[in-house]
Amino acid sequence: MVSQDHSQTQTNEAETLEDDHVELSSVDAQEPATADVAALQAEIETLKEEVANAQEQVLRASAEMQNARRRAQQDVEKAHKFALDKFVGDMLPVADNLERALEAANGQQGSFEAIVEGVELTLKSMTDGLKRHNVEAVDPAGEPFDPQLHQAMSMVPDPNVEPNTVINVFQRGYTLNGRLVRPAMVVVSKAE
């Protein structure tokens, strides 16, 4: 009976081992499936982050491209608008000299009338041409002094006008498309 009990015990132990083996093998089969799902979820999250980063980079690149296009367009517009800047600067002394010639001739009478008339016509042609190209004269006589448009040559006390008023213009200023080419040279009143 002892051998029978011993064999019975061995059989029971073998069955227990097989049951344990079955239980272990089913646990082992479940662990890889859970591990695979966790790994896949982690990979999905990583891919989602990469997609979000890629979308952000595309948006930034698109915005940078639009900004560059806008800046280039503004530069081209400025180049067209102010291409005559140097030319205008060179022509302004000619207009000034014509004005001075007219002022000098007005004091003289006699045979200068034909010359005065010719200079007047030349000056008118020139100022009309400048206006066609958006060159405007700045003649601030009687206006308040504006340091962005005027250059004060001197200040003179004058009780008849308010302080900081332009009382005399030595040389007119000019703007090209609203941008100052040359400031007006002026005399400004000051308080006594």
Side-chain angles (χ1 to χ4, degrees), residues 30-140:
Q30 287 176 355
E31 283 181 16
T34 306
D36 287 344
V37 169
L40 288 174
Q41 286 177 340
E43 188 174 342
I44 288 171
E45 291 301 317
T46 303
L47 291 174
K48 283 181 180 179
E49 288 176 14
E50 289 176 9
V51 167
N53 289 338
Q55 286 175 335
E56 184 177 334
Q57 288 176 352
V58 166
L59 286 175
R60 286 182 186 208
S62 176
E64 286 178 21
M65 202 164 72
Q66 287 175 352
N67 288 339
R69 186 178 298 131
R70 183 179 41 80
R71 280 191 301 271
Q73 191 174 27
Q74 287 174 347
D75 290 345
V76 167
E77 286 175 9
K78 283 182 182 178
H80 286 290
K81 198 172 185 181
F82 300 111
L84 296 176
D85 199 24
K86 289 184 181 181
F87 173 75
V88 170
D90 290 341
M91 291 295 104
L92 295 181
V94 176
D96 294 338
N97 290 334
L98 290 171
E99 288 175 355
R100 285 187 197 106
L102 287 174
E103 287 174 12
N106 282 337
Q108 303 285 330
Q109 293 296 328
S111 64
F112 292 114
E113 289 180 22
I115 295 173
V116 169
E117 187 178 329
V119 172
E120 284 175 345
L121 289 174
T122 305
L123 179 60
K124 183 179 180 338
S125 296
M126 182 163 195
T127 54
D128 289 346
L130 290 172
K131 283 182 183 179
R132 278 193 301 276
H133 293 285
N134 297 320
V135 177
E136 298 292 328
V138 177
D139 193 2

